[in-house]
């Protein structure tokens, strides 16, 4: 997808995207926990910075957005609980319960330093 | 070999379950409860379920220097967040893409509702096969698509 993005961009055009990933320095146990909780992309061992450079992008910058990610997860959780009855009526108990459990596990993983969110910017 | 087979089957079942959840979630995302939750969590009302807040969408617009005359492609935009918002806020044109037809249709409806028909289009497409000419685009976003 990054190569397709680069092809589509005019020379000097820019891409920007947020991605959830693993911080460096996790031991095997931490990594297994993070991979079990995070989105599938976190299992990729190659850094997004490397992927961008391999695709031909230059001026690659990474801006940490983990604090905002944690705050957003808390806000999703709080908002879901505020509207819990309506959410259960709309989505069903199983989906709401599963979503709340996933949300809480993710919040714990972020707070424990196992998941980070990064804004990458790069230029063709 | 049996272990590998079992793992493969489990992964396939999980993928199907996620797909079913996605379809169910998408069908419900336009209703009042999920929309209220989205507004409080992200500050948006585009049936988004990710983590890009309105403040972060504004940041994307600034770092990409979006303005009238620029062409943006939003890959995996779902129902139009944040690409349609960026077009509406920064005045750029946008090609909103998503591989899920229901999302692209919802984005098309939002384009009409927001009066963006003259500089926004919604297309069913994957990130590997973008519906634009090579070298024609000023900026590309795909927030949380790799998640």
């Amino acid at each position: 997808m990054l190569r397709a993005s680069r092809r589509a961009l005019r020379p000097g055009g820019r891409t920007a995207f947020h991605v959830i990933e693993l911080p460096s320095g996790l031991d095997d146990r931490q990594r297994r926990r993070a991979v079990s909780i995070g989105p599938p992309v976190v299992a990729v061992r190659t850094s997004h910075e490397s992927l961008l450079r391999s695709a031909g992008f230059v001026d690659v910058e990474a801006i940490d957005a983990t604090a905002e990610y944690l705050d957003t997860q808390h806000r999703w959780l709080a908002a879901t609980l505020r509207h819990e009855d309506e959410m259960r009526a709309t989505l069903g108990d199983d989906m709401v319960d599963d979503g709340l459990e996933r949300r809480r596990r993710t919040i714990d993983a972020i707070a424990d330093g196992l998941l980070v969110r990064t804004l990458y910017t790069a230029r063709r | 070999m049996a272990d590998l087979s079992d793992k493969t089957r489990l992964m396939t079942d999980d993928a199907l379950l996620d797909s079913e959840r996605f379809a169910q979630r998408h069908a419900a995302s336009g209703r009042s409860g999920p929309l209220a939750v989205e507004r409080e969590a992200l500050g948006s009302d585009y049936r988004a379920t990710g983590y890009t807040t309105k403040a972060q969408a504004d940041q994307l617009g600034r770092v990409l220097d979006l303005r009238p005359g620029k062409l943006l492609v939003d890959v995996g935009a779902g129902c139009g967040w944040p690409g349609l918002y960026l077009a509406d806020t920064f005045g750029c044109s946008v090609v909103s893409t998503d591989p899920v037809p229901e999302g692209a249709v919802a984005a098309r409806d939002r384009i009409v509702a927001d009066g963006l028909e003259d500089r926004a289009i919604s297309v069913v497409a994957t990130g590997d096969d973008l519906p634009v000419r090579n070298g024609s685009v000023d900026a590309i976003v795909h927030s949380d698509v790799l998640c």
Side-chain angles (χ1 to χ4, degrees):
Chain A
M1 188 173 94
L2 294 177
R3 292 184 189 281
S5 292
R6 187 182 178 280
R7 281 196 302 273
L9 286 168
R10 64 167 174 74
R14 299 187 68 85
T15 188
F17 61 91
H18 289 90
V19 66
I20 296 163
E21 54 191 357
L22 304 188
S24 58
L26 297 185
D27 61 32
D28 288 345
R29 188 169 147 273
Q30 290 173 315
R31 179 181 167 79
R32 281 197 299 274
R33 182 183 161 207
V35 168
S36 73
I37 295 170
V41 70
V42 302
V44 175
R45 289 185 178 268
T46 307
S47 75
H48 290 93
E49 183 169 342
S50 296
L51 292 173
L52 279 162
R53 293 191 192 285
S54 296
F57 283 98
V58 297
D59 295 345
V60 178
E61 292 185 30
I63 302 167
D64 180 55
T66 306
E68 294 92 335
Y69 175 40
L70 180 57
D71 185 51
T72 304
Q73 288 280 13
H74 276 297
R75 276 189 280 114
W76 271 117
L77 177 61
T80 302
L81 292 173
R82 270 194 297 275
H83 298 274
E84 187 172 352
D85 290 346
E86 194 172 0
M87 293 295 279
R88 289 186 182 281
T90 303
L91 298 174
D93 288 339
D94 287 350
M95 184 169 286
V96 171
D97 288 337
D98 183 60
L100 289 171
E101 184 196 345
R102 286 185 186 209
R103 192 77 68 193
R104 290 185 172 110
R105 291 174 66 208
T106 305
I107 286 171
D108 288 343
I110 301 167
D112 289 345
L114 302 184
L115 295 171
V116 298
R117 190 167 186 257
T118 307
L119 169 61
Y120 285 96
T121 67
R123 183 172 60 83
R124 177 186 167 184
Chain B
M1 198 61 190
D3 286 347
L4 180 61
S5 174
D6 285 342
K7 285 176 183 173
T8 304
R9 179 175 55 76
L10 285 170
M11 288 172 67
T12 302
D13 288 348
D14 285 349
L16 286 172
L17 190 58
D18 283 347
S19 175
E20 288 172 6
R21 281 190 180 125
F22 178 87
Q24 188 179 352
R25 177 91 196 185
H26 175 80
S29 62
R31 297 181 191 165
S32 61
L35 276 176
V37 172
E38 179 196 346
R39 282 193 197 94
E40 293 172 29
L42 302 179
S44 63
D45 61 354
Y46 286 76
R47 302 168 67 173
T49 57
Y51 313 104
T52 300
T53 64
K54 182 173 177 292
Q56 289 176 323
D58 290 335
Q59 181 186 25
L60 290 170
R62 290 192 299 273
V63 301
L64 292 170
D65 189 27
L66 299 179
R67 48 194 156 86
K70 296 256 188 169
L71 176 59
L72 168 72
V73 173
D74 187 355
V75 181
C79 304
W81 180 258
L84 298 185
Y85 167 81
L86 291 169
D88 202 19
T89 302
F90 290 87
C92 62
S93 299
V94 64
V95 179
S96 180
T97 73
D98 199 87
V100 180
E102 289 87 347
V105 167
R108 182 199 63 192
D109 292 344
R110 183 62 182 252
I111 288 168
V112 174
D114 289 352
L116 292 171
E117 298 99 319
D118 59 336
R119 53 191 173 85
I121 187 171
S122 174
V123 181
V124 176
T126 68
D128 291 324
D129 189 18
L130 297 175
V132 294
R133 287 196 309 276
N134 288 345
S136 66
V137 173
D138 296 293
I140 296 179
V141 294
H142 49 87
S143 277
D144 297 318
V145 168
L146 295 174
C147 298

